Amino acid sequence: MPDPPRILVVDDDADTLLLLEEILTKEGYRVRTAEHAEAALSLASQEEPDVVVTDIQMPGMDGLALLAELQRRLPQTLVVLATAFGSLKTAVDGIKAGAFDYLGKPFVVDDIRLVVRRAIEHKRVINENAALREQLKERYRFDNFVGSSAGMIAVYKMIARVAQSDSTVLIQGESGTGKELVARAIHANSLRSAGPFVAVDAGTLAESLLESELFGHERGSFTGALTTKKGLLERAHSGTCFLDEIADISPTLQSKLLRVIQEREIRRVGGSDPISVDVRILAASNKDLKGLVDAGKFRGDLYYRLNVVTISIPPLRERADDIPLLAQFFAQKYGAAQGKPAIGISADAMDLITKYVWPGNVRELEHVIERAVVLTPHPVIFPEDLPEALREKPIADSQPRSGWVTLDQLERDYILRALAAHQQDQAKTADLLGIHRKTLQRKLRKYGLAEAGAIEEGSTADEAAVEQEESI
């Protein structure tokens, strides 16, 4: 079990020290106290507290001077200033000088809990960011790749093995897994790295346009062909051509592509003379090409020419250990772009991110983190900064790994989804479910989704209605 967070409270008033010590100890923190700044510095040098809560107005060294000294000696320690409401300007000056937050006197207990909890969370993120940055430096990876899971290490090793050869490579993986990144890594680590890397998405172009894009065309070969144009295969001469979504090209183009691989030559649309090309072909697909061959929808001879080496990229759901690294990598990337270079991710938000299924894989994760970085007003991404789909409790969390789900589990998940759809409004949710509000509250208690004491008791008439409803 990790050590509890360390809090140092500094105030020249003994009653205030006792109050804060009692409140924060009940929150699970390890609390030390000091009656003046000099004693606080001595304790801080010994224990390096995570957070210091200090009064501003103290005899001798005041809270602002203590803040400055702590920043010099222990820059990772966060400082919360406490001051009377009449001196809030001094507290604001302290924030500008680097304090994390301030508390007004007389204290509001909930404010103390909230501010210190936020400070501890921020400190945790700072520590986690430092650890993640080290992992990002030390992990086994290629440029633009993030991940140290067994599946990704296998991909890295395959890239390293095939990069120096000139063989065709088939890259397989779901949409959003990073197939083009793999192709670019192969090219960058190959003997052709000084040559061009040309990419084309075969799934986005009509057959006639794709043929012209790949092979080029002669002037006058079709309406609008006002000049002779080199195709992508010709422009990739001495380099690499990456053909994404290869399964979507027509049988006619499959035949022409097979000739390119076998003969190393092309013919432009409308042309008759062969043109030699020295190009390495890398192909990718999110479909099962072998299955398409068996179904007669893809040429077997082309498949075997492309499938000299296959690299299969695991989907994100099979490399869950990489998700925190990826999320923090994208937070740093887009944080820097938005002028928020130190942005982090809270534990609750990271838990939601890690548990989400990610049908869109790494691309979807990247977009979600970019959105959160843009929207959050804080230096930390919290659950409320994430899309609603991530904040809903995943069905997989409440179901067993295999076998049938119980009715209680189904009901629990359905209630959670209904509450989320109605912003936790119990009255609206109960109306949607066709049950009395008190019945909903009982079920929330039953499934551990609400504290029984936090739900107000209804009238005798309410209880009678519930009993009648539940007896039906």
Side-chain angles (χ1 to χ4, degrees):
M1 179 179 293
D3 293 334
R6 300 179 300 275
I7 310 293
L8 174 59
V9 180
V10 191
D11 200 296
D12 60 336
D13 182 75
D15 291 337
T16 299
L17 286 180
L18 186 62
L19 172 66
L20 291 174
E21 182 178 18
E22 181 180 353
I23 293 170
L24 296 174
T25 299
K26 285 182 179 179
E27 290 293 296
Y29 306 129
R30 191 174 74 191
V31 183
R32 298 295 301 274
T33 63
E35 293 185 353
H36 51 79
E38 290 78 5
L41 288 172
S42 177
L43 281 172
S45 64
Q46 297 171 31
E47 300 200 3
E48 294 191 16
D50 297 299
V51 177
V52 173
V53 181
T54 179
D55 190 19
I56 292 180
Q57 301 296 330
M58 294 186 295
M61 180 185 291
D62 66 10
L64 294 179
L66 176 58
L67 165 65
E69 191 62 24
L70 285 170
Q71 287 183 318
R72 187 180 70 81
R73 299 188 190 185
L74 301 170
Q76 298 302 313
T77 294
L78 300 180
V79 178
V80 175
L81 300 172
T83 186
F85 283 114
S87 304
L88 287 185
K89 183 182 183 304
T90 307
V92 172
D93 291 340
I95 299 295
K96 293 178 180 178
F100 176 77
D101 207 339
Y102 69 86
L103 290 165
K105 289 184 176 182
F107 293 121
V108 177
V109 173
D110 286 344
D111 289 348
I112 296 170
R113 292 170 177 155
L114 177 62
V115 170
V116 174
R117 190 181 305 132
R118 287 278 190 177
I120 291 296
E121 178 66 16
H122 188 70
K123 179 68 187 302
R124 185 199 64 77
V125 169
I126 290 173
N127 293 340
E128 188 176 80
N129 283 356
L132 285 170
R133 279 194 292 270
E134 289 304 309
Q135 290 183 51
L136 288 170
K137 289 178 184 176
E138 295 174 2
R139 72 187 183 282
Y140 185 76
R141 74 166 206 157
F142 289 86
D143 287 344
N144 299 319
F145 280 97
V146 177
S148 55
S149 62
M152 287 308 294
I153 287 176
V155 170
Y156 303 152
K157 288 180 177 178
M158 285 295 290
I159 292 173
R161 289 171 183 168
V162 305
Q164 295 298 308
S165 75
D166 219 24
S167 300
T168 54
V169 178
L170 178 61
I171 305 165
Q172 299 232 238
E174 296 178 7
S175 294
T177 51
K179 295 185 289 294
E180 184 171 339
L181 283 179
V182 170
R184 288 184 179 277
I186 292 172
H187 173 74
N189 290 276
S190 73
L191 299 176
R192 295 175 173 268
S193 60
F197 177 90
V198 177
V200 58
D201 187 346
T204 61
L205 297 174
E207 180 181 351
S208 58
L209 289 175
L210 180 59
E211 182 177 8
S212 175
E213 283 293 306
L214 282 175
F215 298 97
H217 59 256
E218 297 290 347
R219 179 182 177 183
S221 57
F222 55 85
T223 302
L226 303 179
T227 60
T228 297
K229 176 186 174 182
K230 287 185 177 181
L232 295 176
L233 288 166
E234 196 174 347
R235 286 159 53 190
H237 184 76
S238 77
T240 303
C241 185
F242 171 60
L243 302 176
D244 199 6
E245 303 308 339
I246 192 72
D248 294 334
I249 68 173
S250 68
T252 300
L253 283 183
Q254 289 178 34
S255 176
K256 293 185 176 182
L257 183 59
L258 178 63
R259 180 178 178 84
V260 173
I261 297 173
Q262 289 177 332
E263 308 296 335
R264 299 290 176 178
E265 63 181 31
I266 64 166
R267 284 185 173 85
R268 294 174 184 156
V269 175
S272 56
D273 297 330
I275 301 171
S276 296
V277 289
D278 173 22
V279 61
R280 183 183 192 179
I281 302 293
L282 304 178
S285 178
N286 62 5
K287 298 176 182 176
D288 177 12
L289 281 187
K290 182 61 170 63
L292 293 177
V293 170
D294 294 340
K297 296 180 179 179
F298 196 85
R299 290 183 64 120
D301 47 3
L302 176 58
Y303 169 72
Y304 291 113
R305 283 287 186 176
L306 294 172
N307 192 34
V308 175
V309 178
T310 297
I311 297 178
S312 297
I313 310 175
L316 194 52
R317 62 182 175 275
E318 293 179 9
R319 44 183 293 219
D321 290 348
D322 291 338
I323 292 176
L325 275 175
L326 284 160
Q328 192 57 57
F329 175 80
F330 293 134
Q332 292 175 6
K333 173 183 175 181
Y334 291 107
Q338 294 291 325
K340 306 174 182 178
I343 199 160
I345 303 173
S346 74
D348 290 343
M350 187 65 84
D351 185 58
L352 292 173
I353 291 167
T354 304
K355 288 180 177 178
Y356 186 62
V357 177
W358 297 110
N361 290 296
V362 178
R363 185 184 297 127
E364 182 185 9
L365 172 61
E366 181 174 3
H367 291 167
V368 164
I369 299 299
E370 181 183 7
R371 172 188 182 275
V373 169
V374 170
L375 294 180
T376 183
H378 309 291
V380 176
I381 294 171
F382 290 103
E384 56 266 29
D385 301 316
L386 300 174
E388 186 176 347
L390 269 73
R391 300 197 301 271
E392 294 178 0
K393 191 171 182 64
I395 294 176
D397 275 3
S398 60
Q399 293 182 359
R401 291 286 181 181
S402 61
W404 288 89
V405 64
T406 67
L407 288 175
D408 277 353
Q409 289 168 327
L410 271 176
E411 184 177 61
R412 179 183 186 277
D413 183 71
Y414 194 69
I415 288 172
L416 279 170
R417 288 178 175 273
L419 281 167
H422 291 81
Q423 290 74 48
Q424 310 302 315
D425 188 316
Q426 292 184 7
K428 290 182 179 179
T429 301
D431 185 58
L432 168 74
L433 298 175
I435 60 177
H436 197 281
R437 183 168 58 89
K438 295 300 176 184
T439 302
L440 174 62
Q441 292 174 345
R442 284 185 177 180
K443 291 182 183 294
L444 292 175
R445 289 194 291 265
K446 173 184 176 182
Y447 297 128
L449 300 175
E451 293 293 332
I455 299 176
E456 63 188 44
E457 295 300 324
S459 66
T460 304
D462 284 340
E463 296 296 331
V466 171
E467 289 176 7
Q468 181 180 7
E469 176 184 272
E470 294 183 341
S471 68
I472 296 175

